[in-house]
Amino acid sequence: MTATPTQNLQIASVPGPQGQAPGGPGSAGRRRDLAAALRPLMLDVGIPVGTYYLLRDAFGVSLWLSLALSSTGPAVRAIAGLVAERTLNLLAMLMLAVTLAGIAVSFLTGDPRAMIAKDSIVSSVIAFAILGSVMLRRPLMSAGLKPYMTRGKAERIDAWDRLSMASARFRRLELAFSTIWGLALLAECAASLVGAYTLPVTTMVWLSTVMTLGSIGVAILAGGAAAGPIQEMIDAEAAAS
């Protein structure tokens, strides 16, 4: 029911404590950057949960229909984002496709547990796609990390591009970042799938959100091991150019 990490992968651009993203001067600038990065996550997690409880408790809508309708908010946001950006991002398109497929399955089955489980299936598709991109040496998570690290500055974008082409260490760090996120999503989807069929549905409504936030938190912290050095290399390359 709740938004899965697959709907929030732009949060991948937030490096862990081993690296601070380039932003405004001092801690105030970093806090603003962090708040801006977390805003989409809060929306995609908060809207589905709030919609579910509003429909079920305030309007008396059935458990199944409440779960199904609450899944549509993040999909609408994803479509609106793609339309607004007017660019085809492979990761965003993949997220949108599996999200819409999950919603369709939810309506076709009419099974509350299947609706909880479909979030895990969606997450697993993205996790395997990310890990597959690592095997192909074309890491998907770089699509989320690059805009945050470069901040739209031409010299930093050029630095990223040069490093990605010429530096073996930089490419290894890109691959490591995507690997961390792929494994985190895979672990979360396995735990959610087990919970969907062993715990009460009403428990999983909120627990799946906790699992989602937990997996994202782990990925952010662990991803800092790769994001920190990536930022340092971009800083040095941009300064030298």
Side-chain angles (χ1 to χ4, degrees):
M1 183 280 300
T2 57
T4 68
T6 64
Q7 295 150 356
N8 303 296
L9 289 182
Q10 289 301 324
I11 201 65
S13 59
V14 181
Q18 297 185 41
Q20 292 294 341
S27 60
R30 291 194 292 270
R31 285 195 297 270
R32 286 194 298 270
D33 288 339
L34 181 59
L38 289 175
R39 193 174 300 115
L41 172 64
M42 294 300 102
L43 289 174
D44 283 343
V45 170
I47 290 176
V49 174
T51 301
Y52 164 79
Y53 284 111
L54 180 66
L55 291 173
R56 184 167 180 260
D57 296 339
F59 294 99
V61 177
S62 68
L63 174 64
W64 168 77
L65 189 56
S66 297
L67 285 168
L69 292 176
S70 66
S71 299
T72 61
V76 172
R77 269 180 40 79
I79 294 173
L82 289 174
V83 171
E85 292 175 5
R86 297 181 180 178
T87 57
L88 288 179
N89 181 296
L90 179 60
L91 182 58
M93 292 297 294
L94 181 60
M95 289 192 297
L96 179 59
V98 295
T99 299
L100 294 177
I103 292 173
V105 170
S106 298
F107 278 100
L108 289 173
T109 61
D111 179 3
R113 290 192 180 275
M115 274 182 266
I116 295 291
K118 62 92 177 168
D119 284 350
S120 300
I121 296 172
V122 170
S123 292
S124 70
V125 171
I126 300 296
F128 284 121
I130 292 173
L131 294 174
S133 75
V134 172
M135 294 179 65
L136 295 173
R137 306 189 70 81
R138 300 186 66 178
L140 278 175
M141 293 307 296
S142 292
L145 185 63
K146 182 179 179 180
Y148 189 83
M149 287 290 182
T150 59
R151 295 313 243 183
K153 296 180 179 179
E155 66 274 15
R156 297 186 67 83
I157 294 173
D158 291 341
W160 176 293
D161 292 340
R162 287 194 300 271
L163 289 167
S164 187
M165 291 179 61
S167 172
R169 179 174 180 248
F170 190 86
R171 290 195 297 271
R172 285 196 300 270
L173 290 169
E174 283 189 88
L175 294 171
F177 189 80
S178 283
T179 300
I180 290 167
W181 273 85
L183 293 176
L185 291 181
L186 202 57
E188 186 272 337
C189 80
S192 295
L193 189 60
V194 171
Y197 287 100
T198 59
L199 298 174
V201 173
T202 52
T203 298
M204 280 304 297
V205 168
W206 61 265
L207 185 57
S208 61
T209 300
V210 174
M211 290 180 178
T212 294
L213 295 175
S215 67
I216 291 173
V218 169
I220 289 173
L221 291 174
I230 284 175
Q231 180 189 313
E232 292 171 1
M233 292 183 72
I234 293 173
D235 290 343
E237 181 70 19
S241 61

